[in-house]
Amino acid sequence: MAGSGGNPSSNQSSVSHQAPKILLAKPGLVTAGKFNRGGPDDDSAAHRPRFPSVGSLNLLSDTWDFHTDRFLPFLTDNTDFTVVGVIGPPGVGKSTIMNEIYGFDATSPGTLPPFAIEAEETSAMAKHCTVGIEPRVSSERIILLDTQPVFSPSVLAEMIRPDGSSTIPILSGESLSAELAHELLSIQLGVLLASICHIILVVSEGVHDASMWQLMSVVDLLKHGVPDPSSLTLSHPQSSEKESRDKILDSEGEYMAEPVFVHTKLCTEDLAPCNLVQLKKALSQFFCSSSFVRSENQKTAKESQVSAVSLNDHSAGRESESLKLFLIPSRNKDDSLKPQYESHISALWNLRDQVLSKRGSSFSRTLSERDWLKNSAKIWEIIRNSSIIMDYCRTLQSSGMFRRL
């Protein structure tokens, strides 16, 4: 399991090895009002359960501010933990993958999945079920971050005003059109996950959609100067963004979470070995000059800690060893049909085993779970005030691709 850096053996004794349990908020953790359905004057509030909904653990508010108080009670001072985030468009199975990594057993009666699964009715109405960033933590101290979908029409519909402006202040002090704000929203989520996670799952549907590859390429371009949660630069809030960026580049280089590219809902023809080789080659060529491709020295250090190799990687050439690719076939409604290559559930199990066995990128210094969350909130503010992202926003505005207010 991935660590946060340093020697985590002294903390392993404090890690529980019990079966995963569904994570719920404690009573009274959230005050009445914005995140509770009933306020203090609601007569029916007394007849409702004291437990708020699981969604109240969300790290982002309606105004896109980062909250730590709701999730902090579930974290400890343990320093041996792994942060896994996921990003992708709607309906590609992000929450299903995160439930599998969490260890949820859907066959157990009377249990609910840690992450809500999109119902058929929700899918038919083109809605999304995940909002903001939904966090969970397993008994193995794996912190899972499920994010709202990118490139989502339903997300755009919820954030657009009648005049076309955005209801969410994406960039501090900037009034943007909803379409441009929606574009930057996806980029900010990607930059955040690449900064605070050990492993980031990049999920796409099918083999012909390269939109997520393009998004991660933009994330790689705009992430420069954003530290990892353990960076000591966070302890100097008065230092300028340029000073912080220069310190990072001069001392330890830029931190980047290790990406795992996942393509879901594939048909049998897509899983053919020849198509797999072509997809791996295309992935390697697309990111050949990006920060996601590790140097030889970095790969050598990581390979000594990672013994498992993806089942999907057996056909790959050495040129794509630094980028992991997983193919998940569509779920077969007819269980009597034997899959030609790999079944849907077997591919999910394989993905889970490989993610749990990966060490991922290590933060520059050792820090606890609680400090990770507190510093992640500071990183979110750095991202929202990033001059690089603001310059990119102005470039998009001047390109004529988005309306001007």
Side-chain angles (χ1 to χ4, degrees):
M1 185 173 67
S4 56
N7 182 13
S9 58
S10 61
N11 298 277
Q12 292 179 346
S13 59
S14 63
V15 180
S16 172
H17 295 284
Q18 299 177 357
K21 298 180 179 179
I22 304 306
L23 178 61
L24 295 175
K26 295 180 180 179
L29 183 61
V30 183
T31 58
K34 183 175 184 179
F35 296 100
N36 282 352
R37 295 184 178 180
D41 298 328
D42 190 350
D43 295 336
S44 61
H47 303 285
R48 294 175 180 151
R50 295 181 61 198
F51 291 95
S53 65
V54 177
S56 64
L57 295 177
N58 205 304
L59 296 180
L60 296 179
S61 68
D62 293 342
T63 56
W64 222 237
D65 294 318
F66 200 100
H67 286 280
T68 61
D69 55 338
R70 286 165 277 173
F71 188 51
L72 192 62
F74 298 97
L75 301 181
T76 68
D77 291 327
N78 164 56
T79 60
D80 181 22
F81 64 98
T82 303
V83 185
V84 180
V86 66
I87 189 171
V92 296
K94 299 185 299 297
S95 299
T96 300
I97 293 173
M98 297 301 268
N99 285 333
E100 191 66 37
I101 297 175
Y102 183 89
F104 171 69
D105 184 8
T107 62
S108 300
T111 59
L112 295 174
F115 298 101
I117 303 295
E118 188 178 72
E120 292 184 2
E121 179 182 357
T122 303
S123 178
M125 299 179 66
K127 294 183 178 180
H128 59 283
C129 60
T130 303
V131 179
I133 302 178
E134 289 285 354
R136 302 290 185 272
V137 58
S138 72
S139 59
E140 294 90 356
R141 310 317 297 172
I142 301 175
I143 300 174
L144 302 171
L145 304 179
D146 189 11
T147 62
Q148 71 179 36
V150 298
F151 312 131
S152 171
S154 59
V155 172
L156 176 60
E158 290 181 356
M159 61 187 295
I160 188 170
R161 290 194 178 103
D163 62 354
S165 63
S166 172
T167 60
I168 301 177
I170 302 300
L171 295 176
S172 300
E174 292 279 345
S175 178
L176 305 176
S177 66
E179 293 88 349
L180 179 55
H182 181 248
E183 180 79 10
L184 294 177
L185 191 67
S186 303
I187 296 173
Q188 287 182 334
L189 284 176
V191 172
L192 179 66
L193 293 183
S195 303
I196 68 175
C197 296
H198 295 102
I199 300 171
I200 176 174
L201 304 178
V202 184
V203 187
S204 304
E205 181 176 345
V207 295
H208 303 293
D209 184 10
S211 59
M212 288 307 301
W213 293 12
Q214 295 168 353
L215 173 63
M216 296 311 295
S217 179
V218 175
V219 167
D220 176 49
L221 176 68
L222 302 182
K223 185 192 173 298
H224 297 295
V226 180
D228 70 76
S230 68
S231 176
L232 290 182
T233 58
L234 293 175
S235 61
H236 303 285
Q238 295 181 350
S239 62
S240 65
E241 179 186 348
K242 183 179 185 301
E243 291 175 347
S244 299
R245 182 165 59 248
D246 292 341
K247 289 179 182 178
I248 297 169
L249 295 176
D250 292 341
S251 59
E252 300 161 350
E254 295 230 310
Y255 175 83
M256 183 72 73
E258 181 173 352
V260 176
F261 294 89
V262 183
H263 287 254
T264 63
K265 299 186 177 181
L266 303 184
C267 60
T268 303
E269 292 75 12
D270 297 329
L271 300 173
C274 59
N275 293 332
L276 176 60
V277 171
Q278 291 297 322
L279 186 60
K280 287 177 176 292
K281 185 177 298 185
L283 178 66
S284 177
Q285 292 176 350
F286 192 91
F287 291 101
C288 62
S289 60
S290 73
S291 303
F292 295 119
V293 179
R294 308 292 179 184
S295 66
E296 275 309 311
N297 292 335
Q298 287 175 316
K299 287 197 296 182
T300 301
K302 298 300 180 184
E303 286 171 358
S304 64
Q305 301 166 346
V306 181
S307 59
V309 180
S310 167
L311 182 63
N312 285 326
D313 288 342
H314 69 279
S315 304
R318 295 188 60 84
E319 62 182 358
S320 60
E321 285 181 355
S322 59
L323 292 176
K324 296 300 180 182
L325 174 67
F326 285 85
L327 304 183
I328 310 294
S330 298
R331 186 186 299 273
N332 193 348
K333 296 182 179 180
D334 188 356
D335 296 334
S336 62
L337 297 178
K338 185 176 181 180
Q340 182 175 352
Y341 297 104
E342 188 176 22
S343 67
H344 173 82
I345 189 63
S346 175
L348 284 178
W349 288 344
N350 178 46
L351 174 60
R352 178 182 187 270
D353 291 343
Q354 298 307 316
V355 169
L356 295 183
S357 65
K358 291 176 72 66
R359 188 168 181 84
S361 302
S362 296
F363 298 141
S364 57
R365 298 172 181 83
T366 301
L367 81 166
S368 67
E369 297 171 358
R370 296 173 66 87
D371 288 338
W372 165 84
L373 181 63
K374 294 175 182 178
N375 287 347
S376 294
K378 299 177 182 178
I379 290 179
W380 179 243
E381 290 305 312
I382 292 177
I383 294 173
R384 294 187 67 182
N385 294 280
S386 170
S387 61
I388 297 178
I389 297 181
M390 288 183 180
D391 290 342
Y392 182 77
C393 172
R394 296 187 183 98
T395 301
L396 292 180
Q397 284 181 318
S398 61
S399 68
M401 298 173 57
F402 300 92
R403 76 174 76 181
R404 288 181 174 271
L405 298 179

